[in-house]
Structure formats: C-alpha cells, structure tokens
Amino acid sequence: MRKRKASSIVLFVLGILFMLPVFILVMNSFKTYDEVIKSFVTLPESLYLGNFAEAARLMNYGVAVRNSLFVTICTVIVCTVISFFASFGISHLKGKKQTGFYLLFSLGQIIPFHTIMIALSVMMTNLNMNNSLITLIILYSGFHCAFGIFTYFGFLKTVPLSLEEAATIDGCGTLRLIWQIYFPLVLPTTVTIVVLFFLWTWNDFLMPSILISDSALRTITVNMYIFKGSTQSNWNLFMAALVISIIPIVIVYLFTQRYITSGITAGAVKQ
Amino acid sequence: MKKKTIIYLLCILPALCFYSFALLIPLFFGTIPYSTYDWNLMSGIKNFTGLGNYIEILSDTDFFRTLLFTVKVGVITVVLSNLLAFILAYFLSKSDVRCKSVSRAFFFIPNIISSVLVAFIWYVMFAWVLPSLAQTFNIEWLKSISWFGETSHATFTIIVVSVWQSLGFSLLIYIAGFQTIPSELIEAAEMDGCTGLKSITKVQVPLLMSTITINLFISIAGAFKAFDIPFALTDGGPFGTTQTIALNIYQEAFIRYRMGMGSAKSVVLFLLVAIVTIVQLRITSKKEVEY
C-alpha cells in the first residue's frame, strides 16, 4: 500500500521535472522585456499577456496556423484515401503482380527524405510548383502513402476471402463492397494511419523550408524558425512566439490522447 | 485481362501517381543522375563526372567526420532513451500506479512537438535559463560553460534534446510491450523465487525481445536521419563539428550549391539507412520468444 503510493508520487514528480523546460519557458513568456533580462529563474511579477499579442502579430500567427491546418488536413484525407484504395487493389491482385506492387511501395518506406530533397527542390522549381501549399499536399501524400499502403495491406491480408464471396453472391458491387464491408473493418487501422499522417505532416520542417519562400505560405514550424532569426534580442517575444507555436498540437493531443497513444503504438509494432 | 483485375489496378493508380511524382521520379530521374554531375548552381557549371563525386566522398574527411558524429550521437541517444524508457515503462505499466495517464502524458508530450520547436525550448534553457541560474546562485562552474561554443558541450546539448524528445516514443512501445506479458507468468516466476531484478532480466526482458528490437531499430533508422535538432540547436557549430550527415547534405546543396555532390552524399545516406533496415528485418523475424 505505502509502496504503491510512494512510486506513484515519484513517477509524478519525475514527470513534472521532465517537463520543467516547458514550464520554465511558459513562465518566462509572461515577463516583460525588462523583467526577462533581469532573471530567467524568478516568477513573473504579473501575468503580462502583451508578449503573446505582439508575437502573434509580428509572426503572422493566424496565417501560419491556417496554412498548417490546410496542408495537414488535406494531406491526411488524400493520403488515407489513396492508401486504402491502393492496398485494397494490391491485396486482391495475385502472384507476381501483387509482389511487384508491394515491393515497389515498400521501397518508399526506406528512402529518407534527405535523399530526394535536392531533386525535389530542383524539380519543383523547374515545374514552377514551389511556393504552393497544394504541392506540399501532393508530395506529403506521395511520400507517406508507402506507410499507409504497407499498414492497410498488413490488415487486409488477414480478412478472409469468404466474407467478400458471400457479399458478392448477395449482389454486392465493388464500390458497395468497399464502403459497407471493408470500410468498417479497417476503421481501427485508419485511426492509426490518420494519427501518424497528422503528426508527421504537422511537425515537418524540412520540406516546407525548402519549397516555400513566400512569407504568406509558411507553415507554423517554418514560421517560428524564421521568426527566431528576426527577433534578435527580443527574448520575451521569442519565448511567447514559441509558446503559441507549440499550443495547437498540445491541444490536439489533449483532446485525442487515447487515439494518438494507440495509433503510435500500433504504427510502430506494424513497421 | 479480367474486368476485376482492371478495377484493382485502377484502385492502385492514384497512389501510384502521387508516389511516383513525390518519390520515384525524384529518386531515379533526380538524385541518382544528379549525383554523376559536377554541378554548381551558383557558377552554373554542370559537367558529367560519372563516379567522380563518389570517389571524392571517399577522401572527404568532413563527410566521414559527420558520419562518425551521427553514429556517435545516435548510439548514445538510442541507448540512453531506450534504457530510461524501459525503466520508466516498467513502473508506469504496473496497474496499481495512480495518476498513471498524467505521468505518462508528461513524458510523452515532447514527442509530439515538432523537433525544431523542441530544440528551441532547450535553446532557451541552455542559452538563457542556465546562465541566469548560475548568476542568481553564483555557481562558478555553470557560469563558465559556453554551451554552444565548445564541441563537447554542443554535442551534449544535442544528445540531451534528442533523448528528451525520443524517450516518449520508446516509453509508449515498452508500456505496450509490458502489458502483453501475462501476469500469471510473472506470478509463476515469483513462486519459483524469481523476483525483482532477476524477474526483469530473466523473465521479462527475454519476453520483450521483439519489442526491444523493434524499438532499437526504429530509433537507429531515425538517428541516421537526424537533422532538425542539430539544425535548429547548433546549426552544426562550432565550426561544423556537430554536423550530422543530413545536415552536411543540406549545407552542400543549399548553402554551397553543390547539387551533384549533395546528391551523391544523399545516395550514400540512403544506402546506410537501407542496410540498417535490411538487418532489422533479418533480426526481427528471428529473435522472438514464444510462450
């Protein structure tokens, strides 16, 4: 009994210590410039909110959040749909065709983004496709669908063929088969895929930093990176900007904690 | 061809288009051919050199230093974060721990924040908070440390931040692993006098071998691709001594505009990651304990 209580408290305290850098950052983001240059380790004199408003205005926060949301949501939808249909197709093909497509898409799982980033930057510039959020969505979808197909395929393999045969005998067409039989079946797998696609796209830095130079099209992470370079010694603004850049994903996490946890676990085990 | 087969192929088509556009075409018509050119975007020179770039890489001490640095930081980070995550998971997976989900969330949240932002959180700590702390409490040794000015200290910051961020992921997988061990099994081992540390090393670790291997290899593959944290934290400094392979490729291409050389290096990175993945598949298909 006492042992249980002690270990619960120790774990909780360790957790708080682990998050200490975040708490210190949030604490300091409430300080005015004069306060912050005096000390980083004292509590703020008041809950000064001016930093957040000023940082949000200077970094065009609203636009960046909107861009990130647009790219992330579109990528998640497009990529999940194409991954599902492709794995449905591949799982129904036979013999060499199936193996061929499977191996082709598996290749995408081991190619690091850094291997194609130079080619992408040259090609997108030549095609006049840089500086476009749509390009980001297309590239993310193409890049992540390898994982989506791999994961869906792993599940669809286990669905007994008799289920589909029974439905077909009852006069169920391919589209209805997909919608009424397969869609409900793959729902848990879809949660995994959606969670991972969301996090990967939202948190990505390198692709938009290479392909986007128009300041109105920056995503939230790139925006913060650029802001760091331009704030100079306005430490209070830098910290406030950092806090508001982190907030959206933490809010998403708090509301979808269960799905994110199970999604990441399932995704890792399936790799 | 049967009508059904055509429908299945049509299902694959959209993904194939996106995939080819984003990955296959850039790889086979971009990276690989580019790597055979001596190509500078600034001066406009573009000459075919065949394997020239690859031969140059062999004598490029900078590249080998970044490779060594990547492996060094990778190994330390992977070992530390897996070890800490394993220990934490052992305690956090016990069913009688209170506030479990809150404690877990504390350890896990850094993992869902973008690596660049994570690096900035720690930039605040190392650049401002720690010096301020040293000032306030007059701690001499802490005052004298220049976190980003010396290679050893800059390396230390990168490792701390990488462990901080990756720990949550490993923790999650290990917790899931611990939960798959049937409690009867541990109780049975206890009856036979196998408790505490012995129970962990002799019973639980062997049972979790597949979880451990999965975790290690995901971490290792990730370590080879390390970019965001060193880029945002030290930017390879001081004097390029904390540059990872990916950062070296980035600088080659986007700072020095040597596109051919950058591409050749990125092919080498691809081969390294591919080897790790193949070894992973070989090993994970073997080492599993049945119960």
Side-chain angles (χ1 to χ4, degrees):
Chain A
M1 197 51 189
R2 265 181 55 209
K3 207 176 150 194
R4 177 185 102 176
K5 230 178 177 176
S7 77
S8 304
I9 293 169
V10 169
L11 284 169
F12 190 78
V13 172
L14 280 177
I16 289 181
L17 285 177
F18 193 75
M19 281 291 273
L20 205 58
V22 176
F23 297 141
I24 291 177
L25 170 76
V26 173
M27 177 185 91
N28 281 306
S29 65
F30 284 105
K31 293 179 184 171
T32 60
Y33 179 72
D34 292 335
E35 240 186 302
V36 94
I37 51 166
K38 246 184 273 162
S39 172
F40 277 88
V41 287
T42 51
L43 285 170
E45 283 161 23
S46 65
L47 287 182
Y48 175 63
L49 295 172
N51 291 334
F52 299 105
E54 182 68 2
R57 192 182 61 81
L58 282 173
M59 74 191 301
N60 260 330
Y61 181 68
V63 175
V65 171
R66 208 186 56 202
N67 291 339
S68 274
L69 268 181
F70 175 71
V71 171
T72 307
I73 290 174
C74 291
T75 301
V76 167
I77 294 172
V78 171
C79 197
T80 308
V81 171
I82 61 170
S83 301
F84 171 71
F85 273 96
S87 59
F88 174 82
I90 294 172
S91 67
H92 283 75
L93 288 174
K94 300 223 162 49
K96 272 187 184 157
K97 276 201 200 82
Q98 186 183 66
T99 327
F101 276 114
Y102 181 74
L103 287 178
L104 183 72
F105 282 109
S106 297
L107 179 68
Q109 289 235 82
I110 51 171
I111 299 177
F113 177 73
H114 311 95
T115 298
I116 53 163
M117 72 179 173
I118 298 171
L120 278 180
S121 106
V122 173
M123 286 176 156
M124 293 307 126
T125 312
N126 289 345
L127 290 169
N128 227 344
M129 279 180 74
N130 53 346
N131 274 325
S132 150
L133 296 180
I134 304 289
T135 304
L136 291 183
I137 295 166
I138 295 172
L139 294 179
Y140 281 132
S141 301
F143 203 68
H144 297 330
C145 76
F147 174 81
I149 292 170
F150 184 79
T151 311
Y152 271 132
F153 181 77
F155 177 78
L156 288 180
K157 256 190 332 199
T158 64
V159 176
L161 212 70
S162 53
L163 188 76
E164 191 175 325
E165 278 162 2
T168 318
I169 290 167
D170 291 342
C172 192
T174 308
L175 268 181
R176 239 186 87 198
L177 186 81
I178 289 174
W179 182 244
Q180 290 191 334
I181 309 280
Y182 280 100
F183 186 71
L185 273 180
V186 298
L187 209 57
T189 313
T190 306
V191 171
T192 303
I193 287 174
V194 165
V195 163
L196 291 173
F197 286 172
F198 188 94
L199 289 175
W200 290 343
T201 314
W202 182 273
N203 285 337
D204 186 46
F205 166 75
L206 197 46
M207 178 134 62
S209 77
I210 288 170
L211 296 178
I212 305 284
S213 54
D214 185 344
S215 64
L217 296 175
R218 280 179 200 144
T219 54
I220 203 160
T221 313
V222 177
N223 206 35
M224 184 61 220
Y225 182 79
I226 307 263
F227 188 69
K228 180 176 184 268
S230 66
T231 43
Q232 307 294 339
S233 59
N234 286 323
W235 298 346
N236 53 329
L237 293 184
F238 170 75
M239 290 188 290
L242 189 52
V243 169
I244 57 175
S245 297
I246 295 168
I247 280 176
I249 194 73
V250 174
I251 291 176
V252 169
Y253 173 73
L254 292 179
F255 280 102
T256 57
Q257 196 173 355
R258 199 161 59 91
Y259 299 107
I260 289 188
T261 322
S262 66
I264 288 182
T265 313
V269 178
K270 268 165 202 149
Q271 276 181 347
Chain B
M1 228 185 303
K2 276 192 293 186
K3 189 184 151 224
K4 274 266 162 105
T5 314
I6 294 174
I7 293 178
Y8 298 142
L9 289 176
L10 281 177
C11 285
I12 304 173
L13 192 66
L16 192 63
C17 289
F18 280 88
Y19 181 67
S20 307
F21 184 76
L23 227 139
L24 296 179
I25 294 174
L27 179 66
F28 291 108
F29 297 92
T31 309
I32 292 172
Y34 292 174
S35 72
T36 60
Y37 282 91
D38 178 17
W39 180 13
N40 191 310
L41 216 56
M42 277 312 256
S43 59
I45 295 169
K46 191 177 180 182
N47 298 318
F48 184 75
T49 63
L51 293 175
N53 287 326
Y54 293 97
I55 294 164
E56 209 184 314
I57 289 175
L58 290 177
S59 59
D60 184 344
T61 47
D62 271 1
F63 186 70
F64 281 101
R65 200 191 55 214
T66 62
L67 176 63
L68 204 69
F69 180 77
T70 312
V71 172
K72 191 172 102 186
V73 168
V75 168
I76 299 175
T77 305
V78 168
V79 169
L80 276 180
S81 74
N82 274 277
L83 201 65
L84 292 174
F86 191 88
I87 296 168
L88 278 170
Y90 174 75
F91 290 106
L92 275 170
S93 61
K94 287 189 173 162
S95 54
D96 56 359
V97 172
R98 286 202 202 151
C99 288
K100 210 169 19 178
S101 60
V102 183
S103 301
R104 271 186 209 182
F106 281 144
F107 291 106
F108 182 63
I109 282 178
N111 194 252
I112 54 153
I113 300 173
S114 172
S115 314
V116 170
L117 305 183
V118 164
F120 285 169
I121 294 173
W122 280 92
Y123 179 81
V124 170
M125 287 296 287
F126 287 117
W128 302 333
V129 176
L130 288 180
S132 174
L133 192 77
Q135 203 69 43
T136 314
F137 296 99
N138 224 352
I139 312 168
E140 285 304 325
W141 64 270
L142 194 58
K143 264 191 216 169
S144 63
I145 293 177
S146 153
W147 290 105
F148 303 115
E150 266 174 64
T151 306
S152 56
H153 292 145
T155 309
F156 174 78
T157 63
I158 292 177
I159 293 170
V160 167
V161 181
S162 307
V163 171
W164 192 70
Q165 200 203 16
S166 58
L167 183 109
F169 177 82
S170 307
L171 179 69
L172 215 60
I173 314 301
Y174 284 133
I175 288 177
F178 273 114
Q179 282 165 346
T180 60
I181 301 180
S183 54
E184 306 93 66
L185 212 81
I186 295 171
E187 280 158 22
E190 254 168 44
M191 299 269 232
D192 295 337
C194 189
T195 53
L197 207 62
K198 215 170 161 195
S199 158
I200 298 175
T201 53
K202 293 272 153 62
V203 181
Q204 307 191 28
V205 170
L207 285 172
L208 289 176
M209 218 48 218
S210 68
T211 313
I212 294 171
T213 5
I214 288 173
N215 228 338
L216 281 179
F217 275 101
I218 294 177
S219 315
I220 292 169
F224 267 103
K225 296 184 250 178
F227 176 85
D228 288 10
I229 290 175
F231 181 73
L233 198 64
T234 64
D235 199 10
F239 311 111
T241 49
T242 62
Q243 229 178 51
T244 58
I245 304 176
L247 197 51
N248 185 264
I249 295 170
Y250 179 91
Q251 297 214 328
E252 198 72 78
F254 300 110
I255 309 287
R256 299 160 75 183
Y257 297 105
R258 303 209 305 164
M259 307 311 254
M261 193 51 167
S263 298
K265 286 180 174 177
S266 66
V267 171
V268 174
L269 174 65
F270 169 51
L271 293 177
L272 289 172
V273 174
I275 291 169
V276 172
T277 314
I278 291 165
V279 174
Q280 163 189 14
L281 291 177
R282 278 277 170 82
I283 293 180
T284 35
S285 52
K286 275 186 214 157
K287 267 194 182 169
E288 266 175 73
V289 178
E290 300 277 339
Y291 54 84

